[in-house]
Amino acid sequence: MMQSNLKAGVLSPTKPVQFIRKMRGGAQSSLIEAEDGNFYIIKFPDNPQGPDVLFHEAFGTELMGLVGLPVSDWRPVRIHANFIDQNRGLWFEGYGSALRPPRPGLCFGSRLVSATDQESLYEMLPSSWFELISNRTDFLGMLLFDLWALHNDNRQAVFLQDLQTRLIRATFIDHGALFGKLSQAGLNVGRRTTFLDDKVYRNTDVSSILPKWEARIRALTIDGLYALVFASSIPCEWYDPCKVDEILTGLLERQAQTSTYISQITSFLNEQYERREHREDVRIQGAELRSDSLGGSRTSVPRSRRRVLP
């Protein structure tokens, strides 16, 4: 069992030097510049989504990094009362015009993904650009991970594009909704866990890609999961040891279900493919009917129907 007297590891907290702006989202996070020279998106322990969010973010980041998924670095950020008093933009918005100051203390800080002079950063991409994503297969690995880790929200990412090669690399962000309950997250791939635009999964070899991610998840041991908590500098005030026990044992138990998750992912993506084909058929039939009504000749429109999923 997890011991209750864990201490933060070697990653010492940094401090804010400037408040930049409030961010979108239910946790009402904020963007700050820290004394280490980096920018962080911070979440307070008393954020509107609850105190568990900080552990979910920190441990989720560590666990995703362990299996090889691209995530941003994180660090504890200590916010003092005078910084809160001087920056009312940090305050939580309530009903109407009411504002509530967050409590000072250790916040979770996700280092902001930023672009160099040779790069551009995007929060969203048009689907026509998805083929430029160099690590697009990671979206399948992330989907399998999110089902296994009971992620109860759509997956989010940011995108860095190299201006010379035009290639884009995705980094996954916002992990506070990990480690939910089965009654919340369930196994509904279509409603939860997927990236908002499922076209990002198109033309990917699911049958060869997902088993690689499954092997990485199945290779994790309960000792390794506990060691990850001990070694990850996660402040002990961010979690209840009993809840951590529940999360880790649940992860271990659900390793046996990864084959089921793969089947669900394959079925979901095939259904999305068939729906797009149906919509295209309807569009073409409508165009042909309009052509007939105008006296035009009716011609067939040849199309390739290459099914890419098993």
Side-chain angles (χ1 to χ4, degrees):
M1 296 289 286
M2 176 77 68
Q3 297 179 9
S4 61
N5 59 348
L6 294 179
K7 297 181 180 180
V10 297
L11 186 60
S12 60
T14 187
K15 297 178 182 178
V17 296
Q18 184 182 4
F19 166 73
I20 307 299
R21 61 183 171 91
K22 197 73 167 285
M23 307 297 290
R24 297 189 301 269
Q28 298 196 32
S29 54
S30 293
L31 176 62
I32 60 100
E33 181 182 6
E35 64 179 3
D36 66 359
N38 293 309
F39 292 85
Y40 293 91
I41 298 171
I42 62 168
K43 293 184 178 180
F44 285 90
D46 58 333
N47 74 86
Q49 291 184 336
D52 293 340
V53 165
L54 277 67
F55 176 80
H56 296 173
E57 286 275 12
F59 182 66
T61 298
E62 295 288 342
L63 189 55
M64 281 180 256
L66 184 64
V67 300
L69 291 164
V71 289
S72 180
D73 293 336
W74 74 275
R75 187 171 183 178
V77 181
R78 187 175 297 281
I79 307 293
H80 292 288
N82 59 350
F83 188 80
I84 295 172
D85 293 340
Q86 294 166 7
N87 296 280
R88 291 179 66 91
L90 289 164
W91 290 27
F92 297 134
E93 299 174 3
Y95 295 104
S97 59
L99 292 175
R100 174 174 65 87
R103 291 198 303 267
L106 278 179
C107 298
F108 170 83
S110 178
R111 195 169 74 183
L112 184 71
V113 178
S114 56
T116 67
D117 293 339
Q118 290 76 42
E119 297 172 320
S120 289
L121 178 67
Y122 302 95
E123 293 184 0
M124 298 291 293
L125 289 180
S127 57
S128 59
W129 287 26
F130 287 165
E131 294 291 339
L132 296 173
I133 301 176
S134 60
N135 62 330
R136 193 156 62 95
T137 58
D138 289 345
F139 280 84
L140 285 172
M142 189 74 254
L143 181 53
L144 180 61
F145 180 97
D146 278 339
L147 285 172
W148 171 62
L150 299 182
H151 189 229
N152 192 34
D153 201 358
N154 288 113
R155 173 47 60 189
Q156 297 186 50
V158 293
F159 305 90
L160 271 178
Q161 183 178 41
D162 186 303
L163 297 179
Q164 291 185 337
T165 66
R166 297 192 66 226
L167 291 177
I168 296 168
R169 181 167 178 79
T171 299
F172 298 112
I173 60 171
D174 197 357
H175 320 305
L178 285 169
F179 315 121
K181 296 185 181 299
L182 278 171
S183 59
Q184 295 173 326
L187 300 178
N188 191 335
V189 181
R191 179 175 296 179
R192 296 289 186 183
T193 71
T194 58
F195 185 66
L196 286 170
D197 189 344
D198 61 73
K199 295 186 186 70
V200 77
Y201 306 107
R202 292 177 66 179
N203 301 321
T204 52
D205 189 356
V206 175
S207 61
S208 65
I209 294 168
L210 282 178
K212 297 177 183 178
W213 293 103
E214 180 185 25
R216 296 180 185 183
I217 290 173
R218 283 180 173 264
L220 298 171
T221 65
I222 192 65
D223 289 339
L225 292 174
Y226 277 115
L228 191 62
V229 177
F230 278 93
S232 297
S233 305
I234 302 175
C236 57
E237 57 262 46
W238 288 1
Y239 56 83
D240 178 341
C242 293
K243 288 185 178 180
V244 173
D245 285 335
E246 183 179 346
I247 288 172
L248 300 192
T249 54
L251 289 171
L252 194 70
E253 291 169 356
R254 289 191 300 277
Q255 283 177 322
Q257 300 181 39
T258 50
S259 295
T260 300
Y261 301 151
I262 289 176
S263 297
Q264 291 177 330
I265 291 170
T266 302
S267 297
F268 168 75
L269 296 181
N270 277 330
E271 288 173 5
Q272 297 304 105
Y273 172 86
E274 291 168 357
R275 288 175 183 174
R276 283 192 293 270
E277 288 292 296
H278 175 71
R279 288 195 294 266
E280 183 66 9
D281 285 339
V282 171
R283 185 189 68 79
I284 291 173
Q285 291 170 9
E288 291 173 343
L289 289 173
R290 286 193 297 272
S291 177
D292 285 347
S293 67
L294 294 173
S297 61
R298 182 167 182 165
T299 58
S300 62
V301 181
R303 288 187 297 132
S304 171
R305 289 179 174 271
R306 184 168 61 90
R307 192 176 182 84
V308 297
L309 301 178

